[in-house]
Amino acid sequence: MWSSVGLSVINVVWSSLALCFLVAFCAHKVSRLLPGIFDTCPAYVLFQDLIRYGKTKQSLKRDDWLRVFDVPKRWFWHFYAVSVGWNGLLLVLYLSFIFQHQSYPLWLSDFLDILTGAHSSDSQVPQLSTVLVQLLLWVHSLRRLLECLFVSVFSDGAMHLVQYMFGLGYYIMLGLTILCCDRMEKERSSLLSQLDWLLVAGFLLFIWASWLQHQSMVLLARLRTGKSGTVETLTHRVPKGGWFELVSCPHYFAELLIYISLSFVFRGLSFTWWLVVLYVLFNQALAGQLCHDLYISKYKSYPRHRRAFIPFVL
């Protein structure tokens, strides 16, 4: 039976974010059916400015005042650096709770009370799924940080300052969400007895999805580097190889699978984490559709059988 079902602050936050990105995705799809009608509308231009980044933003016709809020897309590594530090801290605090029976700092405990509407209890049983999800999120963040610093080749693409601030806050909220799921968990068995096939399946899916995402990032980087690894161009080219033969953005599909895998590690019982998955689905669908539309409009010979980011579906 699902845990953490109810009208808590944390559930409202994630359901609201999921709804916002669903509306944004639908609005973008509708605007594609009516080309030219909204192009000069200030509200439409602002909307596009807020949802686009990198290569999908470069063709957007914007007033100069909007460009004031641009920050380099290469600053993506800041998100993962924050995540490695913050979620590493939360992991240490949770391990201290498990093995040394130390309570959370008062500020953290009070904040979790607000987010969940459930007060902490000294009799709360440590959850194996919580430890593993925290660890996997930390590993994921570290891998993405290293990829941003040493694999990806960024051009002069930009993102909006709002997107940048949102990205910084996102990984902070994500770590808190894991502790919220733990706070609302009703499991009362010992750590080892919590190990089951669904948790193992989630771990294996996480490994495969991470490999898929890394492979995709390497293929994207090779579009701009030579055989020696040196950067030869910053222009955009048609991605080929791997899962790029099926979708325009396999790295976005892999991101979705990673979050689904973490839900499996929670044994599929955390309603709150499924809300996170729903948000990631709509967020990545929007980003993937924007890239897909760009490829189709820019390259006349772009393979028509490719989907945006979910093979054979979307």
Side-chain angles (χ1 to χ4, degrees):
M1 194 167 184
W2 276 358
S3 65
S4 63
V5 177
L7 190 63
S8 61
V9 173
I10 193 66
N11 286 351
V12 170
V13 168
W14 286 112
S15 56
S16 298
L17 285 173
L19 180 60
C20 286
F21 276 89
L22 172 60
V23 171
F25 175 77
C26 293
H28 172 71
K29 294 288 284 187
V30 170
S31 69
R32 293 285 296 176
L33 299 176
L34 304 170
I37 295 181
F38 303 107
D39 289 354
T40 58
C41 175
Y44 173 78
V45 174
L46 178 60
F47 167 70
Q48 292 292 331
D49 194 34
L50 288 172
I51 66 173
R52 295 172 180 267
Y53 59 87
K55 57 181 174 287
T56 64
K57 200 184 195 75
Q58 292 175 344
S59 60
L60 182 64
K61 298 179 180 178
R62 300 179 292 158
D63 293 333
D64 290 340
W65 72 269
L66 285 174
R67 300 179 186 275
V68 173
F69 300 98
D70 286 357
V71 297
K73 183 194 172 187
R74 64 175 62 92
W75 284 6
F76 256 62
W77 72 269
H78 295 180
F79 305 153
Y80 304 114
V82 167
S83 182
V84 168
W86 170 252
N87 291 304
L89 171 63
L90 295 184
L91 175 59
V92 170
L93 291 175
Y94 193 75
L95 291 175
S96 297
F97 164 68
I98 292 178
F99 297 110
Q100 299 180 2
H101 305 289
Q102 292 183 359
S103 300
Y104 295 145
L106 185 60
W107 60 268
L108 178 58
S109 183
D110 288 346
F111 196 50
L112 292 176
D113 289 347
I114 295 172
L115 290 175
T116 63
H119 295 288
S120 60
S121 173
D122 294 335
S123 60
Q124 184 179 356
V125 177
Q127 302 298 314
L128 178 61
S129 58
T130 301
V131 178
L132 190 54
V133 170
Q134 284 184 308
L135 180 61
L136 294 180
L137 176 61
W138 186 85
V139 169
H140 170 66
S141 301
L142 179 62
R143 176 181 61 80
R144 290 296 293 121
L145 174 61
L146 295 176
E147 285 173 346
C148 284
L149 294 176
F150 303 110
V151 177
S152 298
V153 180
F154 293 100
S155 62
D156 57 352
M159 57 180 163
H160 199 282
L161 179 62
V162 171
Q163 294 173 314
Y164 177 72
M165 298 304 296
F166 178 84
L168 294 177
Y170 171 76
Y171 283 100
I172 293 176
M173 182 57 70
L174 202 59
L176 293 172
T177 300
I178 296 173
L179 295 183
C180 287
C181 295
D182 178 81
R183 176 71 64 89
M184 296 184 283
E185 176 60 57
K186 304 302 181 183
E187 180 66 55
R188 289 292 179 265
S189 58
S190 62
L191 279 176
L192 289 180
S193 63
Q194 295 172 26
L195 183 64
D196 60 17
W197 68 270
L198 197 55
L199 188 149
V200 174
F203 176 77
L204 295 177
L205 178 59
F206 174 86
I207 297 299
W208 181 80
S210 298
W211 172 83
L212 172 61
Q213 190 172 60
H214 177 70
Q215 180 199 49
S216 301
M217 301 307 296
V218 170
L219 289 174
L220 282 175
R222 287 177 180 172
L223 294 175
R224 294 178 171 177
T225 59
K227 294 182 179 180
S228 63
T230 57
V231 178
E232 294 183 346
T233 180
L234 294 179
T235 59
H236 298 105
R237 298 173 177 173
V238 177
K240 297 179 181 179
W243 280 55
F244 281 107
E245 301 303 323
L246 297 175
V247 293
S248 296
C249 304
H251 46 308
Y252 294 160
F253 179 55
E255 185 81 2
L256 175 62
L257 291 180
I258 286 171
Y259 281 83
I260 292 175
S261 75
L262 297 182
S263 194
F264 287 168
V265 174
F266 274 128
R267 291 171 295 169
L269 299 177
S270 176
F271 177 74
T272 299
W273 196 262
W274 280 115
L275 291 177
V276 176
V277 172
L278 198 62
Y279 155 76
V280 173
L281 169 63
F282 296 140
N283 175 279
Q284 299 298 286
L286 177 59
Q289 190 65 54
L290 289 169
C291 287
H292 188 64
D293 293 343
L294 175 66
Y295 288 146
I296 290 177
S297 63
K298 188 174 182 178
Y299 305 107
K300 301 302 181 183
S301 60
Y302 193 75
R304 298 295 168 175
H305 68 275
R306 291 189 190 181
R307 297 294 184 176
F309 93 111
I310 299 181
F312 313 111
V313 177
L314 178 62

